[in-house]
């Protein structure tokens, strides 16, 4: 639980790819293994409080959401997400309203959150965002999925090769 963790009152500064600097609580920042490695693993650096961690692959809008997630997670951790879709709906898997609402965003931002969580190595956010993507893709045709994920249509030769190598995909 968050209350059992040692409180770290320091502020960590992070800079988005478009140059905006954000401040976040150190406990929240530690959720990102990338930020933790840059700020907290360097025992020799006594000037860590003034350091700004560059997050070059994450734009401001997305980084703002990532920080919101991390700061909320410290106060109210996301319940464990099982990696199965045995429940009937996303809402049955993610029972906490904040987290359900958090990933109910436009698809481009959702995909940016997946990329940011992966790049920044924030596993709970990656699990949540990927679950929402899986939820969106569930029950869709290959053509719909290709459109949602912006995957170009295969040439007839590529499709024939894929049908030979991955028959199970085309059986349905």
């Amino acid at each position: 639980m968050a209350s059992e963790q040692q409180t770290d009152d320091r502020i960590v500064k992070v800079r988005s790819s478009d140059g905006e600097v954000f401040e976040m609580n150190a406990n929240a920042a530690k959720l990102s293994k990338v930020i933790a490695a840059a700020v907290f693993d360097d025992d020799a650096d006594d000037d860590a409080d003034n350091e700004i961690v560059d997050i070059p692959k994450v734009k401001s809008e997305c980084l703002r959401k990532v920080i919101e997630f991390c700061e909320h997670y410290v106060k109210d951790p996301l319940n464990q997400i099982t990696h199965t879709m045995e429940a009937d709906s996303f809402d049955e898997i993610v029972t906490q309203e904040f987290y359900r609402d958090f990933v109910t965003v436009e698809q481009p931002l959702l995909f940016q959150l997946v990329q940011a969580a992966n790049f920044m190595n924030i596993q709970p956010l990656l699990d949540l965002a990927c679950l929402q993507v899986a939820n969106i893709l569930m029950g869709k045709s290959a053509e719909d999925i290709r459109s949602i994920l912006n995957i170009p249509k295969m040439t007839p030769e590529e499709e024939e090769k894929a049908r030979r190598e991955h028959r199970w995909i085309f059986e349905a």
Side-chain angles (χ1 to χ4, degrees):
M1 288 277 140
S3 60
E4 296 171 3
Q5 293 179 3
Q6 183 177 354
T7 302
D8 187 341
D9 294 330
R10 292 180 289 175
I11 297 297
V12 174
K13 295 178 183 177
V14 293
R15 182 176 18 239
S16 66
S17 64
D18 44 348
E20 192 169 345
V21 175
F22 297 89
E23 292 184 348
M24 62 190 301
N25 174 281
N27 288 324
K30 289 175 184 175
L31 282 173
S32 167
K33 291 182 181 171
V34 169
I35 296 173
V39 176
F40 304 108
D41 289 351
D42 189 4
D43 296 330
D45 188 356
D46 295 330
D47 199 27
D49 291 336
N50 296 323
E51 183 177 348
I52 297 176
V53 179
D54 285 315
I55 310 295
K57 295 187 178 186
V58 182
K59 293 182 180 175
S60 294
E61 176 189 18
C62 185
L63 187 55
R64 189 175 291 109
K65 288 284 287 180
V66 169
I67 292 168
E68 177 188 355
F69 175 91
C70 292
E71 290 185 343
H72 185 87
Y73 187 94
V74 169
K75 295 179 228 162
D76 180 24
L78 175 65
N79 294 337
Q80 177 87 23
I81 293 177
T82 57
H83 294 285
T84 64
M85 293 298 279
E86 292 175 4
D88 289 333
S89 72
F90 179 81
D91 291 350
E92 290 178 24
I93 297 170
V94 180
T95 57
Q96 295 158 285
E97 184 178 4
F98 171 85
Y99 294 109
R100 281 194 315 262
D101 293 345
F102 185 83
V103 290
T104 305
V105 295
E106 295 292 322
Q107 286 182 7
L109 180 56
L110 178 61
F111 295 140
Q112 288 174 29
L113 285 170
V114 169
Q115 292 174 328
N118 185 51
F119 176 74
M120 296 174 70
N121 201 350
I122 305 171
Q123 195 62 50
L125 177 55
L126 185 60
D127 290 345
L128 178 65
C130 285
L131 179 65
Q132 178 69 325
V133 170
N135 183 55
I136 290 168
L137 299 179
M138 182 121 16
K140 299 282 194 278
S141 69
E143 190 59 38
D144 290 340
I145 292 170
R146 192 177 358 266
S147 175
I148 291 167
L149 298 178
N150 200 22
I151 299 171
K153 187 150 178 70
M154 290 188 275
T155 65
E157 296 80 21
E158 291 170 330
E159 186 171 338
E160 179 57 35
K161 182 179 178 186
R163 286 184 183 279
R164 279 193 317 272
E165 293 176 0
H166 307 286
R167 289 183 191 152
W168 61 272
I169 294 174
F170 297 94
E171 297 171 0

